Amino acid sequence: MSVEQLVKDICVQARQAARRLSVVPTGVKNQILLDLAQALEQNAPVLQEANALDLAAGREAGLSAAMLDRLTLSDKVIASMAQGLRDVAALPDPVGEITGMARRPNGLLVGRQRIPLGVIGFIYESRPNVTVDAAGLCLKSGNAVVLKGGKEAINSNLALAKLIDQVLEAGGVPQGAVSIIPTTDRAATTALLKQDELVDVIIPRGGEGLIRFVAENSSIPVLKHYKGVCHLYVDQSADHDMAVAIAINGKCQRPGVCNALETMLVHADEATVFLPKAAQALMAQGVEIRGCPRTLELVPGAVAAQEEDWPAEFLDLILAVKVVESMDEAMDHIARYGSQHTEAIVTSDYARGRRFIDSVDSSLVLVNASTRFNDGGELGLGAEIGINTSKLHAFGPMGLTELTTTKFIAFGDGQVRS
Amino acid sequence: MSVEQLVKDICVQARQAARRLSVVPTGVKNQILLDLAQALEQNAPVLQEANALDLAAGREAGLSAAMLDRLTLSDKVIASMAQGLRDVAALPDPVGEITGMARRPNGLLVGRQRIPLGVIGFIYESRPNVTVDAAGLCLKSGNAVVLKGGKEAINSNLALAKLIDQVLEAGGVPQGAVSIIPTTDRAATTALLKQDELVDVIIPRGGEGLIRFVAENSSIPVLKHYKGVCHLYVDQSADHDMAVAIAINGKCQRPGVCNALETMLVHADEATVFLPKAAQALMAQGVEIRGCPRTLELVPGAVAAQEEDWPAEFLDLILAVKVVESMDEAMDHIARYGSQHTEAIVTSDYARGRRFIDSVDSSLVLVNASTRFNDGGELGLGAEIGINTSKLHAFGPMGLTELTTTKFIAFGDGQVRS
């Protein structure tokens, strides 16, 4: 069978499963999540045997230590996968919720009922634990999912697929509710991206290269973000200690993630006092400062920022710093170079905080808090399948509710339109 | 200047306008809508002079009487455009609403704030009144809009554009908030569909040919529906008189629209009594019945349905009719041939009504009411810019709220992530 036919068959089966899955009761879905958690723990040796094949191949292929680490299904990772499933089981089921029910003048009762999206195509890179996370979130939200993992994790993913299949079948969930495309062929990804008659949405997770490949080749809507160029604006009247703490947290707590801080903008009135102090604290943590000319005057040891530093996602201990004459200049800079991901202001001025919140067009806008909070768990969504920085359907972190939509429902007693 | 450059310049200006428009107060937007309504009425002669050029060209090009009628800016149409704007001014502004504000364990206050989508590309066919409707809805929801109308209405649209420009400028709204692409060149449509860096969403309105062209050529997300193949299922225990009235309303009240009824499915237990009676009433209204073999036995004068009749959107006084053995067969038929637009059941059975509502995957599912209610006005949205039968972002009629999204906002007092 060709790869294209294989992918199409999987998607056809997913489509059929989706129709039945949409009405599976919450209790049944939760029990399967709990059973799967237990099965993962009980079958850890089998999973680790398969994982060992991937690790050996990865070592031979010269994967970095960091990549091998992400690929490893340690006891700790397996326990965390199982706990993740139990957490998802404990979350409320968004499906079936009815809102806005109201009576029209003709007596027709109209409202909206929350329903699954249908079939989700999920494309990701090396971490095999993502396989289980995504399967759990899609199942709980009543969606069928077609998973395409990275080639480095193929043996681990096939072992997980076998286990998931067994648990779903025992739980009475339709076959095809969770499918893993069993090949490392990149043509399978391209084929998946063309199934617009069968797949409702594509969610990619990985590096910018993967995301761009998916966006450019998909005929299905894609929920995605390319990068996080997150800004902190230190306003006139900012509390300097607070601003330093938020800058250090944003830049240093975990520099390699999309909600890490990349650029700090400082109001000119504060720069003389604030910048030397902030820079000293940042440099003490090993941060390289790439500054505008005014920053260079105030911060010994800073290097001159180039134009390409302003839109850069460093994902490293590097911070671009610019002194601005006004909040408008800061917001213009964000609009020009930002990625609509996360921006924060530190201010003690009520009106300016309000204006920043209203005017900045990003998926999370914060006053007096770290950009690192842009995460489904931290924002209260319970779990997160990804983040979207395009504005359609969901803007920001996506939890269970963002894997659903609503249909209109109407209860009449014979109403016709006049 | 090339058409591509012209379109790009318009979109750049729209993008800039969108940023400022997102924070224009509701009162200012409403006043502009009211001023525009008045300007339309006061300038009716100028508009009709331009419209006369389109009508003359249309007659020469051999447009049908129906098309010429849709193209005409009569006094009545102009009054209705003005009233439409006043209605939109009276609707609540969705922008700025804050929901779900809750305190996280660390004290961070997190919620969602409703914001405009940004720049909307709106592509439509001959009716020039759509120009004003779309401009009004986009302005009220804080979005900039780039309009590309049909070539038949170009003179009317240019006259409307001039008037809209004057009113927006006088009202202090940023230039570029409403733009009409001033050319009939189809290359302009193609160029608009490629501005994914500048335009957030495309909404096409017109025949299936236009919609397919847009969907296939757009690199921007498209909110659309191709067609409405709407079903009525007459269940066991249905009230026959009610079912007849709903069938006649669905099929005959306005056969040429997307929420008109196209197929009726009848439970076998009811068919012998119900079908002859229903068919007689429908045929008395001039409806042609295309039936399954069992229908042909029961309905003299019915013609045999072909396979291509089941997925057909007739948009005419033709109804496909099929006798089914069970509700499951009816729902399988809908899943196979339907367009996820609108389906209705007539039943007096509580559990079966509930199951139909839960199981049928369409943008509106009704119990005991006509499919003709799938309309923004009828469902209580106040006004409608279109309907979406893909599930992402909005499913069903789209009103002002569906032209917006939400961003996360957070208020802290120095929170950092640990």
Side-chain angles (χ1 to χ4, degrees):
Chain A
M1 196 191 317
S2 71
V3 169
E4 287 72 23
Q5 192 59 47
L6 169 74
V7 170
K8 188 168 181 189
D9 288 352
I10 289 174
C11 293
V12 166
Q13 204 179 37
R15 180 91 257 154
Q16 289 163 351
R19 212 184 129 204
R20 287 187 290 152
L21 195 57
S22 69
V23 291
V24 169
T26 308
V28 172
K29 295 188 287 191
N30 287 346
Q31 190 56 53
I32 288 170
L33 293 169
L34 298 176
D35 291 348
L36 183 56
Q38 195 176 33
L40 288 172
E41 290 169 340
Q42 285 172 348
N43 292 275
V46 181
L47 297 174
Q48 287 167 336
E49 209 173 293
N51 187 237
L53 298 176
D54 288 332
L55 290 170
R59 264 181 230 107
E60 232 169 80
L63 291 191
S64 68
M67 286 189 75
L68 288 169
D69 182 53
R70 282 201 286 270
L71 190 53
T72 306
L73 285 179
S74 64
D75 287 348
K76 200 179 143 196
V77 169
I78 290 176
S80 141
M81 281 156 63
Q83 188 54 45
L85 291 170
R86 292 184 178 115
D87 291 346
V88 171
L91 289 173
D93 185 346
V95 174
E97 182 196 31
I98 292 173
T99 52
M101 208 78 188
R103 210 169 288 276
R104 302 291 307 150
N106 62 3
L108 195 66
L109 202 56
V110 176
R112 300 193 194 208
Q113 180 166 326
R114 197 158 279 288
I115 58 172
L117 287 173
V119 178
I120 293 168
F122 194 83
I123 300 171
Y124 53 109
E125 286 177 334
S126 67
R127 293 171 186 266
N129 54 314
V130 171
T131 305
V132 171
D133 290 355
L137 286 165
C138 291
L139 181 67
K140 176 75 182 232
S141 54
N143 291 288
V145 62
V146 177
L147 296 153
K148 174 69 176 71
K151 65 177 187 303
E152 301 80 4
I154 184 71
N155 292 293
S156 313
N157 284 335
L158 289 176
L160 287 167
K162 205 171 150 190
L163 205 61
I164 293 171
D165 265 352
Q166 286 166 4
V167 173
L168 292 185
E169 205 187 328
V173 155
Q175 221 192 346
V178 177
S179 315
I180 298 182
I181 298 180
T183 167
T184 57
D185 194 338
R186 187 136 199 195
T189 304
T190 313
L192 176 57
L193 295 174
K194 299 302 175 203
Q195 306 298 324
D196 44 272
E197 301 283 323
L198 297 167
V199 178
D200 295 282
V201 60
I202 297 284
I203 303 178
R205 222 156 86 182
E208 197 176 338
L210 174 73
I211 314 278
R212 290 217 179 266
F213 177 82
V214 166
E216 279 160 20
N217 289 282
S218 183
S219 57
I220 305 166
V222 179
L223 299 181
K224 62 176 187 296
H225 81 284
Y226 290 122
K227 55 181 184 173
V229 183
C230 304
H231 293 76
L232 172 66
Y233 167 55
V234 181
D235 188 32
Q236 259 181 339
S237 84
D239 177 320
H240 289 194
D241 290 339
M242 186 192 286
V244 169
I246 287 173
I248 286 182
N249 187 253
K251 185 70 263 180
C252 308
Q253 196 238 359
R254 205 170 160 203
V257 291
C258 62
N259 56 21
L261 183 63
E262 303 294 7
T263 297
M264 181 165 71
L265 305 167
V266 181
H267 193 286
D269 289 359
E270 306 297 310
T272 315
V273 177
F274 173 74
L275 257 187
K277 181 176 162 181
Q280 196 184 11
L282 285 157
M283 285 167 156
Q285 303 275 334
V287 176
E288 175 186 327
I289 305 278
R290 298 194 184 168
C292 68
R294 180 78 182 117
T295 302
L296 296 181
E297 289 169 23
L298 293 167
V299 179
V303 301
Q306 308 300 313
E307 176 63 21
E308 64 263 31
D309 288 322
W310 303 122
E313 185 186 38
F314 300 114
L315 298 176
D316 201 351
L317 290 177
I318 301 169
L319 183 67
V321 177
K322 185 171 202 272
V323 176
V324 294
E325 295 303 319
S326 66
M327 185 158 126
D328 280 318
E329 190 187 337
M331 296 197 301
D332 286 346
H333 181 102
I334 290 168
R336 177 161 177 200
Y337 294 109
S339 58
Q340 301 189 289
H341 194 293
T342 311
E343 321 325 313
I345 184 175
V346 177
T347 189
S348 60
D349 185 292
Y350 170 80
R352 290 162 77 90
R354 272 198 67 179
R355 193 152 84 84
F356 192 84
I357 285 272
D358 283 346
S359 305
V360 172
D361 191 26
S362 298
S363 79
L364 171 63
V365 189
L366 309 105
V367 177
N368 295 345
S370 169
T371 59
R372 289 277 295 112
F373 286 112
N374 199 352
D375 168 273
E378 294 294 328
L379 296 178
L381 304 188
E384 173 184 308
I385 195 154
I387 183 167
N388 189 26
T389 56
S390 74
K391 288 189 185 168
L392 236 58
H393 186 72
F395 191 31
M398 296 180 287
L400 287 175
T401 304
E402 286 70 29
L403 293 177
T404 65
T405 187
T406 58
K407 65 181 175 190
F408 286 89
I409 58 174
F411 298 96
D413 41 20
Q415 278 82 355
V416 296
R417 192 159 163 191
S418 52
Chain B
M1 197 192 315
S2 71
V3 169
E4 287 72 22
Q5 192 59 46
L6 169 74
V7 170
K8 187 167 182 190
D9 288 352
I10 289 174
C11 293
V12 166
Q13 204 180 37
R15 180 91 257 156
Q16 289 163 352
R19 211 184 131 203
R20 287 186 290 151
L21 195 57
S22 69
V23 290
V24 170
T26 307
V28 173
K29 294 188 286 191
N30 288 345
Q31 190 55 54
I32 289 171
L33 293 169
L34 298 176
D35 291 348
L36 183 56
Q38 196 175 31
L40 288 173
E41 289 169 340
Q42 286 172 348
N43 292 275
V46 181
L47 297 174
Q48 287 166 335
E49 208 173 294
N51 187 237
L53 298 175
D54 288 332
L55 290 170
R59 266 181 228 107
E60 232 168 80
L63 292 191
S64 68
M67 287 189 75
L68 289 169
D69 181 54
R70 281 201 286 271
L71 190 54
T72 305
L73 286 178
S74 65
D75 287 347
K76 201 180 143 196
V77 169
I78 289 175
S80 143
M81 282 156 62
Q83 188 53 46
L85 291 170
R86 292 183 178 117
D87 291 347
V88 170
L91 289 172
D93 186 347
V95 175
E97 182 196 31
I98 292 174
T99 52
M101 207 79 189
R103 210 170 287 278
R104 303 290 307 150
N106 62 3
L108 195 66
L109 201 56
V110 176
R112 300 193 195 210
Q113 180 165 327
R114 195 158 282 287
I115 56 172
L117 287 173
V119 178
I120 294 168
F122 194 83
I123 300 172
Y124 53 110
E125 286 177 334
S126 67
R127 294 170 186 264
N129 55 314
V130 172
T131 305
V132 171
D133 290 355
L137 286 164
C138 291
L139 182 68
K140 176 75 182 229
S141 54
N143 292 287
V145 62
V146 178
L147 297 152
K148 173 70 176 69
K151 66 177 186 305
E152 301 81 4
I154 183 70
N155 292 293
S156 314
N157 283 337
L158 290 176
L160 287 167
K162 205 171 151 190
L163 206 60
I164 292 171
D165 265 352
Q166 287 166 3
V167 173
L168 291 185
E169 206 187 327
V173 155
Q175 220 192 345
V178 177
S179 315
I180 298 182
I181 298 179
T183 167
T184 57
D185 194 338
R186 187 136 199 196
T189 305
T190 313
L192 175 57
L193 295 174
K194 299 302 175 203
Q195 306 299 325
D196 44 90
E197 301 283 324
L198 298 167
V199 178
D200 295 282
V201 60
I202 297 283
I203 302 178
R205 223 157 86 180
E208 197 176 337
L210 174 73
I211 314 278
R212 290 216 179 266
F213 177 81
V214 166
E216 281 160 19
N217 289 281
S218 182
S219 57
I220 305 166
V222 179
L223 299 181
K224 61 177 186 296
H225 80 285
Y226 290 123
K227 55 181 184 173
V229 183
C230 304
H231 293 75
L232 171 67
Y233 167 55
V234 181
D235 188 32
Q236 261 180 336
S237 83
D239 176 320
H240 289 194
D241 290 340
M242 186 193 285
V244 169
I246 287 174
I248 287 183
N249 186 252
K251 185 70 266 179
C252 308
Q253 196 238 358
R254 205 171 161 202
V257 292
C258 62
N259 56 21
L261 183 63
E262 303 294 8
T263 297
M264 182 166 70
L265 305 167
V266 181
H267 193 286
D269 289 359
E270 306 298 309
T272 315
V273 178
F274 173 74
L275 257 187
K277 181 177 162 180
Q280 196 184 14
L282 285 157
M283 285 166 155
Q285 302 275 333
V287 175
E288 174 186 327
I289 305 277
R290 298 194 183 168
C292 68
R294 180 80 183 116
T295 302
L296 296 182
E297 289 169 23
L298 294 167
V299 178
V303 301
Q306 308 300 313
E307 176 63 21
E308 62 263 31
D309 287 322
W310 304 122
E313 185 186 38
F314 301 113
L315 298 176
D316 201 349
L317 289 176
I318 301 169
L319 183 67
V321 177
K322 186 170 202 274
V323 176
V324 293
E325 295 302 319
S326 66
M327 184 158 126
D328 280 318
E329 191 187 337
M331 296 198 301
D332 286 346
H333 182 101
I334 290 168
R336 178 161 176 200
Y337 296 109
S339 58
Q340 300 189 290
H341 194 293
T342 312
E343 326 314 323
I345 184 175
V346 177
T347 189
S348 59
D349 185 292
Y350 169 79
R352 290 163 77 89
R354 271 197 68 179
R355 193 152 84 83
F356 192 84
I357 285 273
D358 283 347
S359 305
V360 172
D361 190 27
S362 297
S363 79
L364 171 63
V365 188
L366 308 106
V367 177
N368 295 346
S370 169
T371 59
R372 289 277 294 112
F373 286 112
N374 199 352
D375 167 273
E378 294 294 329
L379 295 178
L381 304 188
E384 173 185 308
I385 196 155
I387 182 166
N388 190 27
T389 55
S390 74
K391 290 188 181 167
L392 236 58
H393 185 71
F395 191 30
M398 297 180 287
L400 287 175
T401 304
E402 286 69 30
L403 293 177
T404 65
T405 188
T406 59
K407 66 181 175 189
F408 286 89
I409 58 174
F411 297 96
D413 41 20
Q415 278 82 354
V416 296
R417 193 160 163 190
S418 53

